[in-house]
Amino acid sequence: MTFTQKLTNCKNLLLLTGALMMFVAVSCAPKYDPKPAPTRALPELTTGIATFKGDAIDNFYLNFTSLGNVAIEEYGIVYAFLPDTTAVDLVIGGAYPTAKFTEAPKLGANSKTFNIGLQAGTHTLSYRAYAKVAGGEVRYASNRVNKTF
């Protein structure tokens, strides 16, 4: 075998080896997934009408119209006893107390008995539902309820 033939065989072997390595690299590369990441859906809820027993709030109600796909860490009612019907910013972690529900949230109506006494010198109870999700974000009900007594 002549030197030229040996050189040609080496070139062919190198080309074949390069093509084989390229084939292996392409077949091992991660595949493109055309599906987008799931959308973060937060819970949606509305405030229900509280029931009273004598001079106390007996039950608070709220309604989940959607539980979303993010874990709900806490939910309940934020409320304020007020001297009149003045609107206040009902948010958790502020000046107003919360009535936290302890059962796992479920789609539809949720209620809990609290027996919270009405405060002397006040004439209005203002309240709305909330849900705190994983990551700390808080969703509030689209409606609030004001009850004059």
Side-chain angles (χ1 to χ4, degrees):
M1 189 179 287
T2 66
F3 177 73
T4 306
Q5 289 173 329
K6 286 182 182 179
L7 189 57
T8 302
N9 286 343
C10 279
K11 283 183 187 177
N12 289 340
L13 184 60
L14 280 174
L15 284 174
L16 183 61
T17 303
L20 182 61
M21 289 177 74
M22 202 144 179
F23 174 75
V24 169
V26 168
S27 63
C28 292
K31 304 293 182 219
Y32 170 73
D33 186 1
K35 292 182 275 181
T39 304
R40 182 178 152 109
L42 297 174
E44 296 177 21
L45 65 163
T46 58
T47 307
I49 303 298
T51 59
F52 293 81
K53 187 183 284 183
D55 286 341
I57 302 165
D58 188 35
N59 289 302
F60 275 124
Y61 293 86
L62 59 85
N63 185 54
F64 279 103
T65 55
S66 169
L67 292 176
N69 63 5
V70 180
I72 298 171
E73 295 181 338
E74 175 186 315
Y75 74 104
I77 302 287
V78 59
Y79 63 95
F81 289 105
L82 304 167
D84 54 37
T85 57
T86 305
V88 294
D89 192 19
L90 292 172
V91 296
I92 66 170
Y96 303 108
T98 57
K100 296 178 185 176
F101 287 42
T102 54
E103 298 292 320
K106 65 179 189 246
L107 196 58
N110 292 258
S111 69
K112 179 153 176 49
T113 301
F114 288 99
N115 293 316
I116 300 168
L118 302 178
Q119 289 184 353
T122 62
H123 302 288
T124 303
L125 169 67
S126 184
Y127 59 99
R128 75 172 167 171
Y130 74 91
K132 184 176 178 183
V133 299
E137 188 172 347
V138 180
R139 299 289 292 190
Y140 292 97
S142 56
N143 66 321
R144 77 171 51 216
V145 177
N146 291 315
K147 169 77 174 163
T148 302
F149 49 90

